[in-house]
Amino acid sequence: MNAADATLAAAIDGGVPDLYAVLTDRLRAGRSHEQPPWDAELLRRAITCCEEVIAAARADARPLDEALAGIGRAAALLCVDDLASTEQAELGLGAAIGSMPADVPPEVLIDAYQMLADLLVRVIGAVNEDQRDAFIERAIGIAGATEYLASRAGDDAAVARALDARAQALAQRFTGSRDANLMAAVEAALRALGRLTEAQVMAEVRWPLLALEAGNAAMKITTARSRWLTEAQRCHRLGRSAVDTVRYPGLAAVYDRNLALYAPEAAERMTRPPDTEMFERFRRRGREAGNDANAALQVAVEMVAWARGLPEQPNPYLGHAHLFAGRVWLGTSVCAEAASAFDAAAQVFAAVFADDATGAKLAAKALELRAQALAGIGSTT
Amino acid sequence: MPIPFDLGFTGAHRPLREPRVEAIGANSWKEALDEQGRHGYAGDDGSPRALPRRTLWSVRERMQDNLSALRDDGTTLNPAAMFFAFCHQGIAMPEEWVVAVPREDLWWLVAPGDLLLLSDGVTDHFATALNASAQTGRMQIVDEWPGRSFLREGYNESDVAARVEPFFAGVFESVLPGKQEIDISCEEFLRVAVGLVTIDTPALFERYLDHRPALRDDAPTLHRFGCQLMSAHRDEVVPFAAPYFARAERQAVANGDAALAARAASCSYVAHTIAAVGQSMRGHPLAVRPFQIALGELSECYGEPRLLETLDVEVLCRLGNAALWARQDAMAFRFLDLAVARDPFHDAAHAMRAQARMHRNEPQAQVDDAGEALARNAAYIERRRAQLAALDPRDRYGRIDVERRIGGLQQRRVRTLKTRSHGLRALGRLDEAQADEAEARVLEAAPVSP
């Protein structure tokens, strides 16, 4: 049993107040995949312990104890870290917040809101794309409420954690201007780090993780690019200086790779935002174009032009761009153009993913669509 | 302004601002440098005009209005950016206008592009900050008439001996011929500094409290912070104001300062209401809850009717507007009815209530309210036109200010005409509707003219 598990085991024996303290401390400090996970059996026992206290407190009309146990249970579920447990945690937190008495200590309310904010931000990537925008708005709303509570309490560290959640949500937001969202994410992250002492930044992995996220967000900004690359470098340097390289060697390595991008010999790569970011922007625009054929075609043309301009040729983005263009043409029954586009896509995928099963599937899909397009030509003649 | 790169200007101590905000600061000093030498010095006129009274607050208000009128998608303008006005504590300024700080903190605050109000007790003058250095203990300023600056040796009562030098050591002389900067020491600056207007985000107050931690629980300071944030009339910054007012109220109660507690409670009510409305648009029911709880506590402690009584018509309109945006029409009506009752001659209150009636599909009442608003709006425009005609033609800033106000009134007129025409169409009064629409089109196309 490692030290963290030993602490948890002692806290289970100590009861809900100890459990609450241990679990919330762990969650406040942030999560890294390099940290050893909690012992699953211990977490199950912690959850059961909290559930027993919830039931007893409810029966005895002790709302504060019920709330503490509810938050402790949610914290344990979050430490389990699978989707089902996370969903239960969200429901539990909602119930705990909703039933909190008026005299609840402010730090308890802040903890509950912060946990909810972190939870919502954590699962954004798992939400269906068509529901993601609204979900991100809700996450930003909860982060805003958390920041308010923390500001009101004059708790700088809690304000910083709320801003962390806000930054993470904004970094994934595509509603409105993507660049503006990324800028706001960087701003929130730097505000968060500005609320903390150097010792605090180095003590919890949450902060170097946030600095990494902020730097990566800044690297994706296209407007006034050189100015924001300076911010990116600032964030990455700040974060790298705060990483505990013994406990988190993987994180340190990620930082070192990022910092190498600012070296003069890598300057060419920095003149444009990461290809993955640009591809995601095109995908997003394509979805937003919906049934507007003209708008969709515009996106397709720009995407092909962008992909053709990348230094590495051919590249998977070019294949996807041709595939998208083909679908647009097919949707408007311009079958000859569609067939050409699908043909180009198939060739690119075959070249790029020569020995890859994924590539073979993509190429096969492109050829299938090409056949469909050719059949369409036949049917009009 | 042909300076395509960053010259590295900074403040002496204030942390660097967010890049979009820093860029606006840079634009301010570049514009000031551009203006240098363009216009004659008022004192050189054969019959010098009386200078209009401009206070730190009135200038800040104008700058904020100009900033608020700009719109973009957030890539150039930080949505939370606003102008802040600070003065030293020796100046008696109402708390809702300017944040008073120890005199030496004006050196901490000064940043590139800041508008500085300088005075030796005889001459008052506005100038623009370029750069301040903690290492050298000196700062550089841009003045529209550097050769006439009262900061030169022998021209002031504060023993300031400013050096007037080529801008940036003359490096840009070929592209910016004749431009100059004024160089003074930190001590000289503090002898003549009255206050400054600076652009930043609400995070400025966080950094300032890091610099002055003793003020973290100072009720008057927290209250002034909240007032300053609210005075920008930007709902994006209201959520920053709410906790300052809450803390100010609580601290004032603890200190036994009932008057300040009551003022903070009134402001807190407004800030929390607007913040709650904004949070409600995020879609998560728990996002609003902390603000609603705070409002409940205020109402319980002070009584909501009493809190509402303290609010003037402009504030009530602001609350109504926030509720309208969020389509919380019942709340909008509550505030706008109060606004109209408080001042039946207020055009914006009637105009907004007309919009609320449009949401509720009450065309006759919509037309009536819009009509009231338009009548008053016309009267206001005429009054401003008369003011413009009476201004000295050499009063450049005064003319710009009044022209912009007329423009704002005309924009409001266009919106209200459209609201009324919508109601008229619903009532089948098509000729009148078309007349309103035609007037709106003319106004939208025409520039402001006396």
PDB file of all heavy atoms in Angstrom, chain A residues 248-266:
ATOM      1  N   TYR A 248       6.877  13.615 -11.982  1.00  0.00           N
ATOM      2  CA  TYR A 248       6.181  13.732 -13.263  1.00  0.00           C
ATOM      3  C   TYR A 248       7.172  13.853 -14.426  1.00  0.00           C
ATOM      4  O   TYR A 248       7.201  14.877 -15.127  1.00  0.00           O
ATOM      5  CB  TYR A 248       5.229  14.936 -13.241  1.00  0.00           C
ATOM      6  CG  TYR A 248       4.298  14.935 -12.054  1.00  0.00           C
ATOM      7  CD1 TYR A 248       4.470  15.843 -11.010  1.00  0.00           C
ATOM      8  CD2 TYR A 248       3.264  14.009 -11.948  1.00  0.00           C
ATOM      9  CE1 TYR A 248       3.622  15.832  -9.906  1.00  0.00           C
ATOM     10  CE2 TYR A 248       2.423  13.996 -10.858  1.00  0.00           C
ATOM     11  CZ  TYR A 248       2.607  14.895  -9.831  1.00  0.00           C
ATOM     12  OH  TYR A 248       1.774  14.883  -8.750  1.00  0.00           O
ATOM     13  N   PRO A 249       7.987  12.822 -14.660  1.00  0.00           N
ATOM     14  CA  PRO A 249       8.970  12.897 -15.744  1.00  0.00           C
ATOM     15  C   PRO A 249       8.324  13.023 -17.113  1.00  0.00           C
ATOM     16  O   PRO A 249       8.866  13.684 -18.006  1.00  0.00           O
ATOM     17  CB  PRO A 249       9.752  11.580 -15.616  1.00  0.00           C
ATOM     18  CG  PRO A 249       8.834  10.650 -14.885  1.00  0.00           C
ATOM     19  CD  PRO A 249       8.011  11.501 -13.979  1.00  0.00           C
ATOM     20  N   GLY A 250       7.165  12.392 -17.272  1.00  0.00           N
ATOM     21  CA  GLY A 250       6.467  12.459 -18.564  1.00  0.00           C
ATOM     22  C   GLY A 250       6.050  13.884 -18.878  1.00  0.00           C
ATOM     23  O   GLY A 250       6.189  14.363 -20.009  1.00  0.00           O
ATOM     24  N   LEU A 251       5.541  14.579 -17.881  1.00  0.00           N
ATOM     25  CA  LEU A 251       5.106  15.969 -18.072  1.00  0.00           C
ATOM     26  C   LEU A 251       6.308  16.850 -18.405  1.00  0.00           C
ATOM     27  O   LEU A 251       6.242  17.710 -19.288  1.00  0.00           O
ATOM     28  CB  LEU A 251       4.403  16.465 -16.814  1.00  0.00           C
ATOM     29  CG  LEU A 251       3.868  17.894 -16.826  1.00  0.00           C
ATOM     30  CD1 LEU A 251       2.907  18.110 -17.986  1.00  0.00           C
ATOM     31  CD2 LEU A 251       3.173  18.222 -15.495  1.00  0.00           C
ATOM     32  N   ALA A 252       7.406  16.601 -17.720  1.00  0.00           N
ATOM     33  CA  ALA A 252       8.627  17.362 -18.006  1.00  0.00           C
ATOM     34  C   ALA A 252       9.072  17.134 -19.444  1.00  0.00           C
ATOM     35  O   ALA A 252       9.490  18.069 -20.138  1.00  0.00           O
ATOM     36  CB  ALA A 252       9.735  16.966 -17.031  1.00  0.00           C
ATOM     37  N   ALA A 253       8.949  15.893 -19.909  1.00  0.00           N
ATOM     38  CA  ALA A 253       9.357  15.584 -21.287  1.00  0.00           C
ATOM     39  C   ALA A 253       8.459  16.302 -22.288  1.00  0.00           C
ATOM     40  O   ALA A 253       8.925  16.801 -23.322  1.00  0.00           O
ATOM     41  CB  ALA A 253       9.311  14.072 -21.517  1.00  0.00           C
ATOM     42  N   VAL A 254       7.163  16.353 -21.996  1.00  0.00           N
ATOM     43  CA  VAL A 254       6.236  17.071 -22.888  1.00  0.00           C
ATOM     44  C   VAL A 254       6.645  18.540 -22.969  1.00  0.00           C
ATOM     45  O   VAL A 254       6.685  19.135 -24.053  1.00  0.00           O
ATOM     46  CB  VAL A 254       4.781  16.938 -22.384  1.00  0.00           C
ATOM     47  CG1 VAL A 254       3.875  17.904 -23.125  1.00  0.00           C
ATOM     48  CG2 VAL A 254       4.280  15.513 -22.558  1.00  0.00           C
ATOM     49  N   TYR A 255       6.941  19.105 -21.833  1.00  0.00           N
ATOM     50  CA  TYR A 255       7.379  20.508 -21.811  1.00  0.00           C
ATOM     51  C   TYR A 255       8.637  20.699 -22.642  1.00  0.00           C
ATOM     52  O   TYR A 255       8.758  21.658 -23.404  1.00  0.00           O
ATOM     53  CB  TYR A 255       7.641  20.955 -20.374  1.00  0.00           C
ATOM     54  CG  TYR A 255       6.473  21.676 -19.755  1.00  0.00           C
ATOM     55  CD1 TYR A 255       5.779  21.136 -18.691  1.00  0.00           C
ATOM     56  CD2 TYR A 255       6.078  22.914 -20.247  1.00  0.00           C
ATOM     57  CE1 TYR A 255       4.706  21.807 -18.128  1.00  0.00           C
ATOM     58  CE2 TYR A 255       5.013  23.593 -19.686  1.00  0.00           C
ATOM     59  CZ  TYR A 255       4.336  23.028 -18.624  1.00  0.00           C
ATOM     60  OH  TYR A 255       3.277  23.696 -18.069  1.00  0.00           O
ATOM     61  N   ASP A 256       9.593  19.774 -22.467  1.00  0.00           N
ATOM     62  CA  ASP A 256      10.864  19.918 -23.195  1.00  0.00           C
ATOM     63  C   ASP A 256      10.630  19.873 -24.700  1.00  0.00           C
ATOM     64  O   ASP A 256      11.260  20.626 -25.461  1.00  0.00           O
ATOM     65  CB  ASP A 256      11.857  18.846 -22.753  1.00  0.00           C
ATOM     66  CG  ASP A 256      12.345  19.076 -21.327  1.00  0.00           C
ATOM     67  OD1 ASP A 256      12.259  20.233 -20.858  1.00  0.00           O
ATOM     68  OD2 ASP A 256      12.796  18.112 -20.680  1.00  0.00           O
ATOM     69  N   ARG A 257       9.724  19.018 -25.127  1.00  0.00           N
ATOM     70  CA  ARG A 257       9.422  18.956 -26.567  1.00  0.00           C
ATOM     71  C   ARG A 257       8.785  20.264 -27.027  1.00  0.00           C
ATOM     72  O   ARG A 257       9.109  20.782 -28.094  1.00  0.00           O
ATOM     73  CB  ARG A 257       8.470  17.786 -26.865  1.00  0.00           C
ATOM     74  CG  ARG A 257       9.144  16.433 -26.896  1.00  0.00           C
ATOM     75  CD  ARG A 257       8.260  15.411 -27.606  1.00  0.00           C
ATOM     76  NE  ARG A 257       7.006  15.165 -26.918  1.00  0.00           N
ATOM     77  CZ  ARG A 257       6.850  14.316 -25.897  1.00  0.00           C
ATOM     78  NH1 ARG A 257       7.905  13.656 -25.435  1.00  0.00           N
ATOM     79  NH2 ARG A 257       5.671  14.140 -25.351  1.00  0.00           N
ATOM     80  N   ASN A 258       7.872  20.795 -26.209  1.00  0.00           N
ATOM     81  CA  ASN A 258       7.223  22.056 -26.586  1.00  0.00           C
ATOM     82  C   ASN A 258       8.240  23.192 -26.645  1.00  0.00           C
ATOM     83  O   ASN A 258       8.217  24.017 -27.552  1.00  0.00           O
ATOM     84  CB  ASN A 258       6.123  22.409 -25.590  1.00  0.00           C
ATOM     85  CG  ASN A 258       4.827  21.688 -25.897  1.00  0.00           C
ATOM     86  OD1 ASN A 258       4.707  21.012 -26.923  1.00  0.00           O
ATOM     87  ND2 ASN A 258       3.863  21.810 -25.016  1.00  0.00           N
ATOM     88  N   LEU A 259       9.113  23.238 -25.666  1.00  0.00           N
ATOM     89  CA  LEU A 259      10.079  24.338 -25.620  1.00  0.00           C
ATOM     90  C   LEU A 259      11.061  24.254 -26.787  1.00  0.00           C
ATOM     91  O   LEU A 259      11.564  25.280 -27.253  1.00  0.00           O
ATOM     92  CB  LEU A 259      10.820  24.339 -24.283  1.00  0.00           C
ATOM     93  CG  LEU A 259       9.962  24.835 -23.105  1.00  0.00           C
ATOM     94  CD1 LEU A 259      10.637  24.562 -21.773  1.00  0.00           C
ATOM     95  CD2 LEU A 259       9.672  26.326 -23.243  1.00  0.00           C
ATOM     96  N   ALA A 260      11.295  23.039 -27.268  1.00  0.00           N
ATOM     97  CA  ALA A 260      12.192  22.888 -28.420  1.00  0.00           C
ATOM     98  C   ALA A 260      11.605  23.551 -29.663  1.00  0.00           C
ATOM     99  O   ALA A 260      12.337  23.932 -30.585  1.00  0.00           O
ATOM    100  CB  ALA A 260      12.449  21.403 -28.681  1.00  0.00           C
ATOM    101  N   LEU A 261      10.281  23.691 -29.681  1.00  0.00           N
ATOM    102  CA  LEU A 261       9.633  24.311 -30.846  1.00  0.00           C
ATOM    103  C   LEU A 261       9.998  25.780 -30.995  1.00  0.00           C
ATOM    104  O   LEU A 261       9.834  26.351 -32.071  1.00  0.00           O
ATOM    105  CB  LEU A 261       8.105  24.199 -30.723  1.00  0.00           C
ATOM    106  CG  LEU A 261       7.539  22.789 -30.828  1.00  0.00           C
ATOM    107  CD1 LEU A 261       6.055  22.800 -30.494  1.00  0.00           C
ATOM    108  CD2 LEU A 261       7.754  22.216 -32.220  1.00  0.00           C
ATOM    109  N   TYR A 262      10.460  26.394 -29.897  1.00  0.00           N
ATOM    110  CA  TYR A 262      10.787  27.813 -29.965  1.00  0.00           C
ATOM    111  C   TYR A 262      12.233  28.045 -30.393  1.00  0.00           C
ATOM    112  O   TYR A 262      12.663  29.178 -30.560  1.00  0.00           O
ATOM    113  CB  TYR A 262      10.554  28.490 -28.606  1.00  0.00           C
ATOM    114  CG  TYR A 262       9.135  28.354 -28.113  1.00  0.00           C
ATOM    115  CD1 TYR A 262       8.837  27.519 -27.043  1.00  0.00           C
ATOM    116  CD2 TYR A 262       8.102  29.035 -28.728  1.00  0.00           C
ATOM    117  CE1 TYR A 262       7.535  27.372 -26.605  1.00  0.00           C
ATOM    118  CE2 TYR A 262       6.793  28.884 -28.291  1.00  0.00           C
ATOM    119  CZ  TYR A 262       6.516  28.056 -27.225  1.00  0.00           C
ATOM    120  OH  TYR A 262       5.236  27.912 -26.792  1.00  0.00           O
ATOM    121  N   ALA A 263      12.967  26.949 -30.558  1.00  0.00           N
ATOM    122  CA  ALA A 263      14.369  27.097 -30.976  1.00  0.00           C
ATOM    123  C   ALA A 263      14.415  27.641 -32.404  1.00  0.00           C
ATOM    124  O   ALA A 263      13.507  27.372 -33.196  1.00  0.00           O
ATOM    125  CB  ALA A 263      15.071  25.746 -30.908  1.00  0.00           C
ATOM    126  N   PRO A 264      15.434  28.418 -32.754  1.00  0.00           N
ATOM    127  CA  PRO A 264      15.483  29.044 -34.090  1.00  0.00           C
ATOM    128  C   PRO A 264      15.307  28.040 -35.227  1.00  0.00           C
ATOM    129  O   PRO A 264      14.633  28.320 -36.210  1.00  0.00           O
ATOM    130  CB  PRO A 264      16.880  29.677 -34.142  1.00  0.00           C
ATOM    131  CG  PRO A 264      17.252  29.883 -32.730  1.00  0.00           C
ATOM    132  CD  PRO A 264      16.577  28.793 -31.943  1.00  0.00           C
ATOM    133  N   GLU A 265      15.887  26.841 -35.067  1.00  0.00           N
ATOM    134  CA  GLU A 265      15.809  25.886 -36.178  1.00  0.00           C
ATOM    135  C   GLU A 265      14.390  25.348 -36.367  1.00  0.00           C
ATOM    136  O   GLU A 265      14.087  24.755 -37.391  1.00  0.00           O
ATOM    137  CB  GLU A 265      16.789  24.725 -35.974  1.00  0.00           C
ATOM    138  CG  GLU A 265      16.674  24.005 -34.636  1.00  0.00           C
ATOM    139  CD  GLU A 265      17.559  24.615 -33.555  1.00  0.00           C
ATOM    140  OE1 GLU A 265      17.895  25.808 -33.659  1.00  0.00           O
ATOM    141  OE2 GLU A 265      17.890  23.905 -32.599  1.00  0.00           O
ATOM    142  N   ALA A 266      13.529  25.553 -35.371  1.00  0.00           N
ATOM    143  CA  ALA A 266      12.152  25.078 -35.511  1.00  0.00           C
ATOM    144  C   ALA A 266      11.206  26.216 -35.852  1.00  0.00           C
ATOM    145  O   ALA A 266       9.993  26.026 -35.873  1.00  0.00           O
ATOM    146  CB  ALA A 266      11.703  24.404 -34.215  1.00  0.00           C
TER     147      ALA A 266
END
